[in-house]
Amino acid sequence: MAVNKLLVAFDESEGADRALAMAASLAAVNPEAHVDVVYVVPIPLLDETQMANFKDILDMMISDGEDLLAEAEQKMGEDVAARTDSLLLTGTNPATEIVKLIDYDLLIVGNRGLSGLKEYMGSVSHKLLHASPIPVLIAK
């Protein structure tokens, strides 16, 4: 199976940096590879009135997400960065939003090192591993 379309789930964690480095390594040896880096702006579940009050904060969070993705692209290296795009999503659950993106050969995500109940309850990588319809590579 050719792995030409890579999706990297990215945030500000060390695990995400490892996932990004792994994607860059895989793409560096395959000139056909394309990498999409996705960041999900986590928004709380709000009604319309609350969302109107939250708009300025959401705009700031989206701007921060765009900056984060720009930094991620710079970390990819010049050759791979030319074959990299960024995706900024919003949603109440990052794993749910990422799983909707199924047009890829491989999903690469970092691991924060959670274990036990914390991993089961809060780990995006754990949720992606079990919910993704495509292969998931967890960078440790």
Side-chain angles (χ1 to χ4, degrees), residues 7-140:
L7 178 63
V8 181
F10 193 75
D11 59 18
E12 296 177 285
S13 69
E14 289 179 21
D17 282 338
R18 290 189 300 272
L20 195 65
M22 192 171 285
S25 295
L26 291 170
V29 297
N30 179 2
E32 300 294 317
H34 180 85
V35 179
D36 282 344
V37 181
V38 62
Y39 175 71
V40 180
V41 176
I43 58 171
L45 190 56
L46 304 171
D47 64 30
E48 285 184 36
T49 304
Q50 293 169 321
M51 195 58 153
N53 295 334
F54 186 69
K55 184 172 179 351
D56 290 338
I57 295 170
L58 180 60
D59 289 344
M60 182 180 66
M61 292 170 67
I62 288 172
S63 177
D64 289 347
E66 290 168 344
D67 293 344
L68 184 69
L69 287 171
E71 290 173 21
E73 281 193 45
Q74 291 175 354
K75 293 179 182 181
M76 296 296 284
E78 192 173 315
D79 177 49
V80 176
R83 297 178 278 131
T84 300
D85 288 313
S86 297
L87 304 170
L88 183 73
L89 306 176
T90 59
T92 57
N93 185 326
T96 300
E97 298 306 318
I98 293 168
V99 165
K100 292 176 186 177
L101 304 172
I102 61 170
D103 191 27
Y104 293 90
D105 300 321
L106 181 65
L107 169 60
I108 304 172
V109 61
N111 182 336
R112 290 190 329 189
L114 298 177
S115 63
L117 185 59
K118 286 183 181 179
E119 176 187 13
Y120 181 74
M121 296 302 290
S123 170
V124 172
S125 60
H126 185 268
K127 291 174 185 174
L128 288 171
L129 180 63
H130 293 284
S132 177
I134 61 174
V136 177
L137 176 60
I138 298 178
K140 287 189 157 204

